[in-house]
């Protein structure tokens, strides 16, 4: 049984939302995520999330159950389909709170993770994810988030026009034939597909804000529907080079008690590698999304 709505709640006046001096992001202080939150505060947070793409909540202390209750203020949970596995997928019983940690039972190890959006290869990718930091490193393991709306808007007009109606397939990195090489672009059809694939607009419209985003990860294997491999791979390489510019992203140095809630529809995220002798324990929850358009 879940315990819902503890008696003590937050005072609305104390909650401050301060935009970062960065291409995206705002910091939320004066809020205790383990307690009930006033309706007007929830609405302010939702609005800020739409405007700033990521919210950073400071100084939290939560059980897994409380983290889940907090996340539910913003939507329903992401549940992967068995045929489109994601991080921590287990048939029928994927955990809701996923330990992103270099300890036993944890996921993602200690290596670098390049810019990606969670669940992009599924039919209905998640709308957003939360990471809550319980233990952090002294250096390394920084997470950066990249503003895909800015990345789109700063493309030149010719490129915008060229990519306007293109559909992109992102191949599932969790389903791989053992000896197939890691590729940035699938330019042959000789390797059989081992999981269903889904094409989504390369230029996506954010379902709430209506903003256009360049919906492309940095290194996941992709292909563009209807383009010859040579043309498609050259285009994707050009877009990826454009994406990977510091002017589009903010890098976060974690402190214990931080929760970052990001929009998976308008951002990418990446992580720098860290020393395996340090412990890094984060907890992740992802929210359900909708069919991209
Ligand atoms: C994730 C992820 C980044 C990190 O959990 O989806 O990409 O900083 N984690 O560990
Ligand atoms: Mn991720």
């Amino acid at each position: 049984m879940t315990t819902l709505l503890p008696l003590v709640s937050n005072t609305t006046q104390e909650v401050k939302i301060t935009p970062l001096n960065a291409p995206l992001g705002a910091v939320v202080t004066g809020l205790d995520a383990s307690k009930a939150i006033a309706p007007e505060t929830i609405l302010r947070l939702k609005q800020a999330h739409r405007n700033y793409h990521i919210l950073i909540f400071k100084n939290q202390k939560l059980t897994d159950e409380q983290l889940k209750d907090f996340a539910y203020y913003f939507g329903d949970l992401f549940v992967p389909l068995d045929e489109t596995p994601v991080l921590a997928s287990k048939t029928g019983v994927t955990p809701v709170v996923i330990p992103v940690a270099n300890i036993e039972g944890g996921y993602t190890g200690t290596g670098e993770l390049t810019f990606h959006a969670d669940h992009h290869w599924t039919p209905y990718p998640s709308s957003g994810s939360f990471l809550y930091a319980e233990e952090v490193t002294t250096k390394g393991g920084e997470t950066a988030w990249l503003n895909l709306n800015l990345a789109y808007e700063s493309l030149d007009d010719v490129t915008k026009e060229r990519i306007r109606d293109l559909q992109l397939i992102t191949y599932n990195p969790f389903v791989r034939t053992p000896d197939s090489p890691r590729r940035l672009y699938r330019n042959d059809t000789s390797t059989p597909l081992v999981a269903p694939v889904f094409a989504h607009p390369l230029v996506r419209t954010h379902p709430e804000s209506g903003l256009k985003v360049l919906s492309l990860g940095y290194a996941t294997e992709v292909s563009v529907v209807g383009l010859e491999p040579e043309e498609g791979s050259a285009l994707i390489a050009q877009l990826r080079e454009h994406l990977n510019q510091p002017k589009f992203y903010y890098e976060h140095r974690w402190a214990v008690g931080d929760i970052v809630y990001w929009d998976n529809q308008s951002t990418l995220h990446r992580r720098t590698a860290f020393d395996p002798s340090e412990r890094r324990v984060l907890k992740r929850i992802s929210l359900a999304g909708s069919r991209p358009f």
Side-chain angles (χ1 to χ4, degrees):
M1 266 302 279
T2 11
T3 24
L4 277 176
L5 305 186
L7 293 173
V8 194
S9 60
N10 288 278
T11 330
T12 50
Q13 291 79 0
E14 286 168 356
V15 179
K16 274 214 185 67
I17 304 174
T18 312
L20 293 171
N21 182 17
L24 74 174
V27 176
V28 182
T29 53
L31 179 120
D32 182 343
S34 73
K35 295 178 181 165
I37 303 174
E40 54 270 43
T41 304
I42 308 271
L43 292 170
R44 272 174 69 206
L45 293 172
K46 286 188 174 199
Q47 187 64 45
H49 192 251
R50 201 168 301 160
N51 292 343
Y52 303 115
H53 311 284
I54 74 168
L55 294 180
I56 302 161
F57 300 85
K58 301 298 289 181
N59 302 315
Q60 303 301 320
K61 182 134 188 60
L62 303 175
T63 63
D64 286 5
E65 205 52 41
Q66 288 168 328
L67 179 61
K68 193 179 78 180
D69 269 354
F70 176 58
Y72 257 120
Y73 272 129
F74 303 93
D76 203 354
L77 299 177
F78 176 84
V79 180
L81 302 170
D82 288 344
E83 63 269 31
T84 51
V86 299
L87 184 72
S89 269
K90 289 199 185 76
T91 305
V93 289
T94 302
V96 169
V97 179
I98 297 170
V100 173
N102 62 330
I103 56 170
E104 215 193 313
Y107 292 89
T108 76
T110 63
E112 180 194 10
L113 302 172
T114 56
F115 274 120
H116 65 279
D118 296 334
H119 316 133
H120 197 168
W121 51 90
T122 66
Y124 321 118
S126 90
S127 66
S129 300
F130 297 75
L131 266 181
Y132 166 50
E134 290 185 344
E135 296 181 52
V136 303
T137 55
T138 56
K139 69 173 194 306
E142 285 87 13
T143 311
W145 283 268
L146 186 148
N147 184 332
L148 287 173
N149 169 244
L150 266 190
Y152 171 76
E153 293 301 341
S154 58
L155 288 169
D156 62 77
D157 289 343
V158 174
T159 307
K160 278 185 185 160
E161 187 56 29
R162 183 173 173 215
I163 66 175
R164 204 181 62 172
D165 297 316
L166 293 178
Q167 297 277 322
L168 183 82
I169 295 171
T170 300
Y171 295 88
N172 191 332
F174 293 93
V175 183
R176 305 187 55 76
T177 32
D179 48 359
S180 68
R182 283 201 170 272
R183 290 177 299 195
L184 296 175
Y185 195 90
R186 186 181 172 91
N187 49 17
D188 74 77
T189 45
S190 55
T191 328
L193 284 173
V194 280
V197 295
F198 305 92
H200 296 313
L202 178 57
V203 180
R204 188 174 175 186
T205 304
H206 191 278
E208 276 110 40
S209 66
L211 294 175
K212 299 283 183 205
V213 301
L214 180 57
S215 196
L216 171 70
Y218 194 66
T220 320
E221 184 178 352
V222 296
S223 64
V224 180
V225 177
L227 291 193
E228 288 302 322
E230 214 164 279
E231 189 187 353
S233 58
L235 174 64
I236 291 301
Q238 178 204 326
L239 293 172
R240 283 175 163 162
E241 197 181 313
H242 170 76
L243 271 180
N244 199 15
Q245 299 188 59
K247 67 178 180 188
F248 299 140
Y249 65 77
Y250 157 72
E251 187 168 85
H252 187 62
R253 167 109 279 275
W254 290 96
V256 169
D258 287 350
I259 301 173
V260 178
Y261 168 33
W262 70 89
D263 191 328
N264 260 320
Q265 304 158 138
S266 60
T267 69
L268 300 175
H269 56 284
R270 70 144 200 229
R271 177 187 77 196
T272 58
F274 58 98
D275 187 337
S277 68
E278 292 208 70
R279 278 169 65 101
R280 182 177 188 267
V281 179
L282 280 67
K283 299 284 180 67
R284 195 188 82 181
I285 291 187
S286 294
L287 297 183
S290 50
R291 178 176 169 182
F293 57 88

